[in-house]
Each structure stands twice: as structure tokens, then as C-alpha cells.
């Protein structure tokens, strides 16, 4: 019943879904995984890795992105693409996202207390989270509980999500901005954003999708697209972040264009919180996750 309800909510108002186990191959395994995910937070099976973000002009690490991981007691380390879609389908993504936000804010406050002033943490926000009427209030509560400086929190939302019911979403974004939180549009260039709406959005950051960074040193089309995005970001006075940087040639091309920040395996793989302090203020090198 919960799966049918979650699917109906995903499809939108007025939708009706009827659950039929026979129509879902592998339902038994999916149900067991779903039940395990429901208890994962309580059992302390979830944890966060952090991928450093490099300031390209200062050539030093000034922030990070929180990435959720699940160490299942039977199946071992579960890749995100094995449980994030499941969480989204079943509605568990809201509780999961709230936990990730709280943990990331708590950790960043600890980094600040350790002397990492101004260090930022980025957290991905799912469509289901963002659409909740009380989302801004939840963010405010988490910030208060963690005693974190809200100006060092970056919330990443895809352009596709933002452009759905844009007027309502703009109001939510303004509430977040009024708290001091910075807003990033993730996977920019892959959705259906309207430039007329983009200039109205109260946002701070554009993240170039990794698909445009791949083969950047040799692909003329990707180079042209990235140049256009850089020009757009500069004209709107937005910070620009490139993700998926895996080669020095890509990083140098982005730096020469004036891209503000970069993240990817060339800078550092996702690492545990204890490894972040060693990278703070440094030009990170590729290291394996501990």
C-alpha cells in the first residue's frame, strides 16, 4: 500500500495506483531492501563521505559535497544508484535527505570549531524534499540544531525540479536565501530551464554537468557549451562549479575560462570526514576513499 501511495504521489494530484506484486519482478528482494533501508539510520548503517571542492584561482580546497553511503550488514557497501532510486520510489528519500542534511551541518560545524573558518558543505536536495511546504522550516530547524553558520551551507537542486511550479519554488528559494543559505542549480545544461526564469531565480551557484566536462580538452562542442555557460554565469554574477573533473587538462581549461570551482577525481575522491581537515587549504591530490 505504501509503494502504491508513493507512486501515486510521484505521478501527481488525482493519480491512482494499484499495487500488484506479480507485475513487479524481483519484488521480494526490493521489499527486503526497502525494509532494511527504513531501519538503516537507526542501525547506524548510513554514513557520509565528502568530496572536496577546489577554488581554481586560489588553488586550494575551500569546501566539500556530502555524499551518502550505506554499509548493509549482509550485502556490504551499497552503491548510491542501488538505493537512492528505491528511496525516491518509496518516499523514504524525504527522511533520508533530512538525515543527510542534519549530519552534514553537524560535521561542518565541527570543522569550523577546529579552525576551518568559512569552509562550505553542499547537500543535494531531492524533488520530494524540495516540494514539501515545510522544507524551508526544516532547513532552518537543522541549522539551529547544529549551530552551523548558514552562509556556509549550499543546497543543490536540479534545474528540472526548480522549473516545475517555478513561481512556488521561487518563494521557497527566497525563504532559504533570507536565512543566508546559498542555492546551487545542479546538473546545469541538462534540463529545460528558461533563461527568462533563470535570471529571476534567487540562486548563487551554477554547477556544470559532468557530461560537458568529459573530453573537454579535445571535444570542440563541449568547449563551446562550457564557454557559453561561463559567460552566462559571469553575466548573472553567479559562482560556477564544474563537476566530474578527472584530468589536469580539464582543470586547466576551466581555470583559464574563469570557472570558480571544480570537483572530481583529479582533485580528490570522496573521503571520510577525518581526511578533509588534511586537505583544507591545500591543492588536493587524488586520494582513495578511506
Amino acid at each position: 500500500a505504501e509503494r502504491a501511495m508513493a507512486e501515486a504521489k510521484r505521478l501527481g494530484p488525482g493519480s491512482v495506483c494499484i499495487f500488484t506484486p506479480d507485475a513487479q519482478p524481483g519484488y521480494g528482494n526490493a521489499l527486503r531492501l526497502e525494509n532494511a533501508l527504513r531501519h538503516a539510520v537507526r542501525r547506524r548503517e548510513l554514513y557520509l563521505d565528502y568530496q572536496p571542492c577546489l577554488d581554481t584561482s586560489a588553488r586550494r580546497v575551500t569546501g566539500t559535497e556530502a555524499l551518502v553511503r550505506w554499509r548493509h550488514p549482509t550485502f556490504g557497501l551499497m552503491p548510491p544508484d542501488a538505493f537512492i532510486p528505491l528511496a525516491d520510489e518509496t518516499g523514504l528519500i524525504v527522511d533520508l535527505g533530512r538525515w543527510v542534511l542534519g549530519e552534514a551541518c553537524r560535521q561542518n560545524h565541527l570543522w569550523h570549531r577546529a579552525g576551518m573558518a568559512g569552509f562550505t558543505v553542499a547537500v543535494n536536495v531531492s524533488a520530494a524534499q524540495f516540494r514539501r511546504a515545510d522544507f524551508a522550516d526544516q532547513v532552518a530547524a537543522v541549522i539551529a540544531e547544529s549551530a552551523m553558520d548558514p552562509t556556509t551551507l549550499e543546497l543543490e537542486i536540479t534545474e528540472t525540479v526548480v522549473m516545475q511550479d517555478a513561481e512556488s519554488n521561487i518563494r521557497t528559494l527566497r525563504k532559504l536565501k533570507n536565512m543566508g543559505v546559498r542555492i546551487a542549480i545542479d546538473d546545469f545544461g541538462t534540463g529545460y530551464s528558461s533563461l527568462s526564469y533563470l535570471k529571476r531565480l534567487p540562486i548563487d551557484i551554477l554547477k556544470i554537468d559532468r557530461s560537458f566536462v568529459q573530453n573537454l580538452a579535445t571535444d570542440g562542442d563541449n568547449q563551446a557549451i562550457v564557454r557559453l555557460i561561463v559567460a552566462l554565469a559571469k553575466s548573472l554574477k553567479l559562482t560556477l562549479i564544474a563537476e566530474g573533473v578527472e584530468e589536469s587538462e580539464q582543470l586547466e581549461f576551466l581555470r583559464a575560462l574563469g570557472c570558480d570551482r571544480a570537483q572530481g577525481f583529479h582533485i580528490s575522491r570522496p573521503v571520510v570526514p577525518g581526511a578533509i581537515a588534511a586537505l583544507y587549504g591545500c591543492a588536493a591530490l587524488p586520494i582513495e576513499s578511506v
Side-chain angles (χ1 to χ4, degrees):
E2 287 181 354
R3 290 177 68 86
M5 181 177 65
E7 179 64 11
K9 287 181 177 180
R10 188 184 69 80
L11 292 175
S15 300
V16 176
C17 290
I18 300 174
F19 178 76
T20 54
D22 294 340
Q24 298 194 28
Y27 165 70
N29 290 333
L31 182 60
R32 283 192 291 273
L33 197 61
E34 178 184 334
N35 288 334
L37 185 56
R38 289 183 184 278
H39 302 292
V41 173
R42 179 174 56 82
R43 294 171 178 168
R44 298 182 182 276
E45 295 168 5
L46 296 177
Y47 66 96
L48 297 183
D49 275 345
Y50 295 87
Q51 185 161 33
C53 191
L54 186 75
D55 182 313
T56 59
S57 60
R59 297 175 184 255
R60 63 190 184 93
V61 171
T62 57
T64 188
E65 179 180 355
L67 302 169
V68 65
R69 302 288 189 253
W70 182 17
R71 195 176 299 281
H72 191 282
T74 303
F75 303 127
L77 185 61
M78 302 283 292
D81 58 4
F83 68 91
I84 295 297
L86 175 65
D88 203 17
E89 292 171 8
T90 58
L92 292 174
I93 194 70
V94 174
D95 290 337
L96 178 61
R98 186 184 299 116
W99 177 84
V100 170
L101 179 63
E103 185 68 11
C105 289
R106 182 193 65 81
Q107 178 60 63
N108 205 37
H109 176 63
L110 294 176
W111 282 327
H112 290 174
R113 289 181 59 184
M116 297 167 61
F119 195 74
T120 62
V121 64
V123 177
N124 290 281
V125 177
S126 70
Q129 276 180 284
F130 187 65
R131 290 194 195 107
R132 289 183 63 94
D134 62 345
F135 175 66
D137 294 333
Q138 288 184 8
V139 173
V142 168
I143 291 173
E145 290 167 6
S146 65
M148 175 189 174
D149 178 357
T151 64
T152 61
L153 173 62
E154 298 174 357
L155 296 180
E156 298 186 356
I157 307 164
T158 65
E159 58 177 322
T160 301
V161 170
V162 171
M163 293 311 299
Q164 294 172 350
D165 193 9
E167 293 298 333
S168 175
N169 291 340
I170 287 173
R171 289 192 292 271
T172 299
L173 293 176
R174 285 193 180 124
K175 289 180 183 179
L176 295 168
K177 284 277 291 179
N178 289 338
M179 298 177 203
V181 175
R182 304 190 76 207
I183 307 298
I185 298 298
D186 199 11
D187 301 336
F188 184 74
T190 62
Y192 53 85
S193 62
S194 161
L195 294 181
S196 62
Y197 264 112
L198 185 62
K199 69 179 183 180
R200 293 180 53 205
L201 294 177
I203 60 176
D204 306 278
I205 300 165
L206 290 183
K207 292 194 74 174
I208 305 175
D209 186 71
R210 64 181 62 247
S211 64
F212 301 125
V213 178
Q214 292 175 354
N215 305 317
L216 186 58
T218 57
D219 189 320
D221 290 339
N222 278 0
Q223 290 176 359
I225 291 171
V226 170
R227 284 193 180 95
L228 287 172
I229 296 175
V230 170
L232 175 64
K234 288 186 178 299
S235 67
L236 295 176
K237 297 180 173 58
L238 300 175
T239 298
L240 190 63
I241 302 176
E243 54 186 348
V245 178
E246 299 182 356
E247 302 170 357
S248 60
E249 292 83 3
Q250 295 170 341
L251 181 59
E252 290 307 317
F253 184 89
L254 292 162
R255 179 184 286 131
L257 284 180
C259 182
D260 302 289
R261 291 193 262 162
Q263 64 183 109
F265 285 2
H266 176 68
I267 295 149
S268 173
R269 291 178 179 274
V271 296
V272 296
I276 290 294
L279 295 174
Y280 172 63
C282 300
L285 298 174
I287 58 178
E288 295 295 332
S289 178
V290 178

